Structures are given as structure tokens and as C-alpha cells.
Amino acid sequence: MAEGARVIGIVGLPPMGCLPVVITMKTAGSPLQPRQCIDSYSDVGKEYNQLLQNMLKNMITYGTKIIYADIYNPFYDMVQNPNKYGFNNVYSGCCGTGLFELALLCNPNSLVCINASEYIFWDAVHPTQATYYNLFNSLRPTVDVMLKL
């Protein structure tokens, strides 16, 4: 195998029902309803991850190692136990209202929170640097295995 990938890491889905934009869409019209993860949406991600893992186990990969990396469980743990990770805000993002803005709607002219490291989400979809740091730490054993192959 002179060229090509020998080790491939595949990352599963996070708990999609915990994304601020999903919570906003699901609770639209009910502003007094508490913001929380929408379990039915997160369950779809969990099921997808299980199907993906099963598919990867059954793949024949001549000389290539495929490794699944779980982000669902560590991400969900951050949402359920935010204080453990230093987070104060779980269900909205740091940028704008944090309820629906993402990507281009978060720009140099947007209002942002004072301390993004206290937020799980930067905008209504994307994690903050602090969240990525915690995800990396949870994935570190998997990354170490990949580097040794």
C-alpha cells in the first residue's frame, strides 16, 4: 500500500436534540416552556451512531484500520453535568441571542457573550473552543490508539 489512508477515524453524531437551534425550532410558540434537550431528536443520533458502528465492524478494509470515535456520550455528559466542565450556559449559544444564529449570522458585528468558555455552544449549532477541548480530552485515548497503528 504505497499511497492511501491506513488509519481512518470516523466520528459519530452528537445528541442533536441538545443543539440550541433544534430546541428553538421545537419549542417555537411556547416561550415559557423550559429549554432542554429534545430526547426524540437525540435518540435519532444515538441510533444512527449504533448503525454506523455496526456497519464499520462489518467492513472489509484490506490493510486499513477504521476506528469509531464517540462524541455523543461525552457531549451529552457536558450538557447533563455542565458544572463538572465549567459551563454555565447549556441551551443557548454565546453569539447573538444564541437561539437560532449560526455561521454567517455570527460575524464581527454580532453581539457576543463576555466569556465564551462558560458556554457549550458558540452559536446555535457549533460548540465553543472549551467544548472542543473537553471533547478532545475524552477522545484522547482513541487518538492515541490511532497514532500507534
Side-chain angles (χ1 to χ4, degrees):
M1 190 171 217
E3 295 181 39
R6 293 182 320 217
V7 181
I8 300 172
I10 305 285
V11 179
L13 292 176
M16 302 299 285
C18 296
L19 299 177
V21 71
V22 171
I23 296 169
T24 298
M25 289 187 309
K26 186 67 175 170
T27 59
S30 304
L32 299 178
Q33 184 175 347
R35 293 183 64 80
Q36 60 189 21
C37 295
I38 311 298
D39 290 336
S40 60
Y41 284 61
S42 292
D43 289 346
V44 171
K46 191 183 296 185
E47 183 178 342
Y48 169 85
N49 289 342
Q50 189 58 56
L51 292 169
L52 175 61
Q53 289 176 72
N54 292 340
M55 184 185 80
L56 294 174
K57 287 177 189 173
N58 294 323
M59 289 181 72
I60 299 172
T61 58
Y62 303 98
T64 301
K65 301 281 186 201
I66 300 178
I67 298 174
Y68 175 79
D70 173 37
I71 63 166
Y72 185 100
N73 288 310
F75 203 101
Y76 194 70
D77 188 52
M78 282 186 255
V79 170
Q80 295 302 309
N81 304 293
N83 294 334
K84 177 178 164 184
Y85 299 92
F87 296 121
N88 294 322
N89 193 303
V90 176
Y91 300 115
S92 63
C94 173
C95 174
T97 64
L99 305 179
F100 63 88
E101 297 92 351
L102 60 117
L104 294 176
L105 293 176
C106 284
N107 58 61
N109 296 319
S110 299
L111 295 175
V112 296
C113 64
I114 293 172
N115 187 355
S117 66
E118 294 179 353
Y119 284 69
I120 290 181
F121 294 96
W122 167 249
D123 59 19
V125 174
H126 301 99
T128 60
Q129 182 176 346
T131 305
Y132 280 120
Y133 176 82
N134 288 307
L135 284 173
F136 173 76
N137 283 335
S138 71
L139 293 174
R140 183 68 190 264
T142 302
V143 172
D144 290 343
V145 166
M146 290 178 68
L147 293 174
K148 291 177 183 176
L149 294 175

